[in-house]
C-alpha cells in the first residue's frame, strides 16, 4: 500500500509539472520572428519587413492565419507559420501586440 501511495504522489507531481504555465513561451515562440521583424517586433527602417510591435493582436493573428491558409501570398511566411499551431500563433500575436 505504501508503494501505491508513493507512485500516486509521483504521478501527481509529474502531472502538475506538465500543466505548469511557461510564462516565457510567447517570447520564446516569437524569437523566431526577430530575424526579419526585429527585436521585440521593431523592424529596421527600410528593411522591407513590417514592424509588429504594438499592432492590434487581432490584426496580427489575421495576417498569420492568412499566411497559414495560403490566402495571403508570401515567399517564406507561408512555410514558417505552418510550423505553429493556432494556439501558438495566438501567443505570438499577443506577444507582439504587447510590445510598445
Amino acid at each position: 500500500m505504501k508503494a501505491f501511495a508513493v507512485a500516486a504522489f509521483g504521478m501527481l507531481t509529474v502531472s502538475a509539472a506538465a500543466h505548469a504555465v511557461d510564462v516565457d513561451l510567447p517570447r520564446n515562440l516569437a524569437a523566431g520572428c526577430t530575424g526579419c521583424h526585429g527585436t521585440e517586433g521593431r523592424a529596421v527602417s527600410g528593411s522591407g519587413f513590417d514592424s509588429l510591435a504594438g499592432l492590434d493582436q487581432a490584426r496580427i493573428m489575421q495576417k498569420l492565419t492568412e499566411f497559414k491558409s495560403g490566402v495571403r501570398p508570401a515567399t517564406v511566411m507561408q512555410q514558417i507559420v505552418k510550423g505553429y499551431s493556432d494556439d501558438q500563433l495566438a501567443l505570438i500575436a499577443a506577444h507582439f501586440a504587447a510590445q510598445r
Side-chain angles (χ1 to χ4, degrees), residues 48-82:
F49 295 105
D50 293 340
S51 286
L52 303 175
L55 291 181
D56 180 64
Q57 179 179 349
R59 181 68 180 130
I60 296 170
M61 191 62 193
Q62 178 184 359
K63 287 182 178 185
L64 292 172
T65 302
E66 289 172 353
F67 283 129
K68 192 171 186 178
S69 69
V71 170
R72 182 180 287 262
T75 306
V76 177
M77 281 300 298
Q78 289 176 333
Q79 296 304 313
I80 291 172
V81 297
K82 287 179 184 178

Side-chain angles (χ1 to χ4, degrees), residues 87-100:
D87 289 340
Q88 290 172 324
L89 292 175
L91 289 172
I92 292 169
H95 171 78
F96 284 122
Q99 305 309 307
R100 300 288 173 215

Side-chain angles (χ1 to χ4, degrees), residues 39-50:
T39 304
E40 299 302 331
R42 292 177 194 85
V44 174
S45 180
S47 67
F49 295 105
D50 293 340

